[in-house]
Amino acid sequence: MKRIGIAVTDPEDWTGMAFCRAVRHYDMQPVKFSFDEAISNIASGKIYAGSVDLNALDAVIVRDMGPATNNDASFRFDILCQLRENGALVINSPESIARAANKYVSSYLFQKNGISTPETEVTSDLKEALSALSCFERAVVKPVFGYKGIGVECVRNDEKGVRRLGELFGKNKLLYIQKFIQNPGRDIRVFVVNRKVMGSIYRFAPSGSLINNLSQGGTAEPCTLTEEQERLGLKAAEVIGAVYAGVDIMEGDKDYVIEINGTPSGRGIFGACGVDVTMRIVEYLNEVL
Ligand SMILES: Nc1ncnc2c1ncn2[C@@H]1O[C@H](COP(=O)(O)OP(=O)(O)O)[C@@H](O)[C@H]1O
Ligand SMILES: [Mg+2]
């Protein structure tokens, strides 16, 4: 029986559990492990996570890479590359997870490939950041490696905003500053699996917040995409190289791709639309394995 590793930190995570069910559905054996417990022994070449021998897996599905400092993040990425070198199928590919996790790289790839994305400046020079803010008038500042809306803030080109940008620069030294897109208080999360759109949801921010992430109290409702939104979702997943992805689109004066998530949660779309994306992901895995 094929052994399918599921990298997940929280054993109760909805998506992690759904992946396990889906793997069993296709008569394969799910093996959960957490990157928190990763050990690699150089002399023997053995790679373990707790008691799980990662080299014995036929495939790895990455639900999450786990909370990590910079060293950890690259170690985990390297382990995935090594497992793949040793013959395991890894989805999403380590490279696509890394591109999606890095907002600088994904913005650059969107722009380069004709995917409309908000004007963005990334800089280690506070003066440059302030001049971008004065062009944008209203901007969103984000960590380059952020997720779940953590650390995303809106700043205006006024005294308070300029002060705040200075504070953020003091902490970060690298600022990712993006034009604020006037929007209807929601964004769209498009789920792509193997070059098809599986479904999409609107995510509404809780009142008084600009962040629509469901993990920050946002709510989900089913959404029907326009052709253009569907095209943007598919194209974004393609240029990042992700087999499956959650693409965030904001409806402003036109549609903009805000970001792409290479390890998205399947819970919101299941709740709102009854679509279990983990089933479709494992179906794909089962086909190519
Ligand atoms: N340029 C923007 N204009 C307006 N709102 C934004 C913009 N960028 C992000 N947001 C809001 O902040 C949320 C989090 O930003 P996002 O780039 O998706 O980061 P994360 O990786 O933390 O989810 C988005 O879902 C959206 O609600
Ligand atoms: Mg997001």
Side-chain angles (χ1 to χ4, degrees), residues 15 70 75 93 123 154 161 182 200 206 228 255 263 275 283:
T15 311
N70 280 344
F75 176 52
S93 73
T123 175
C154 186
Q182 271 310 332
S200 56
E228 168 66 359
D255 294 315
T263 54
V275 174
E283 181 186 24

Side-chain angles (χ1 to χ4, degrees), residues 54-93:
L54 300 186
N55 277 317
L57 299 170
D58 296 289
V60 175
I61 299 173
V62 184
R63 159 62 186 114
D64 71 78
M65 298 287 280
T69 64
N70 280 344
N71 271 336
D72 281 336
S74 74
F75 176 52
R76 292 165 190 192
F77 173 84
D78 295 335
I79 285 179
L80 284 176
C81 291
Q82 232 177 318
L83 293 174
R84 185 177 53 186
E85 231 175 83
N86 297 344
L89 177 68
V90 179
I91 61 169
N92 276 317
S93 73

Side-chain angles (χ1 to χ4, degrees), residues 184 186-191 197-204 219-230 247-251 255 268-275:
R186 66 181 187 200
D187 68 3
I188 296 173
R189 167 58 65 99
V190 184
F191 280 84
V197 171
M198 292 297 136
S200 56
I201 48 177
Y202 288 120
R203 300 184 307 178
F204 293 85
T219 47
E221 273 179 35
C223 159
T224 306
L225 298 177
T226 63
E227 260 176 48
E228 168 66 359
Q229 289 160 352
E230 185 156 334
V247 181
D248 295 351
I249 294 178
M250 201 141 245
E251 308 146 287
D255 294 315
I269 189 167
F270 184 73
C273 310
V275 174

Side-chain angles (χ1 to χ4, degrees), residues 96 110 115 192 195 232-245 247 260:
S96 66
F110 295 154
I115 297 170
V192 177
R195 290 175 226 170
L232 287 173
L234 291 171
K235 184 87 181 161
E238 183 192 326
V239 305
I240 296 294
V243 168
Y244 72 99
V247 181
I260 180 165

Side-chain angles (χ1 to χ4, degrees), residues 103 148-149 187 189 203 213 248 258-259 261:
K103 286 192 170 57
K148 293 186 174 175
D187 68 3
R189 167 58 65 99
R203 300 184 307 178
N213 301 60
D248 295 351
I258 297 284
E259 70 141 350
N261 193 322

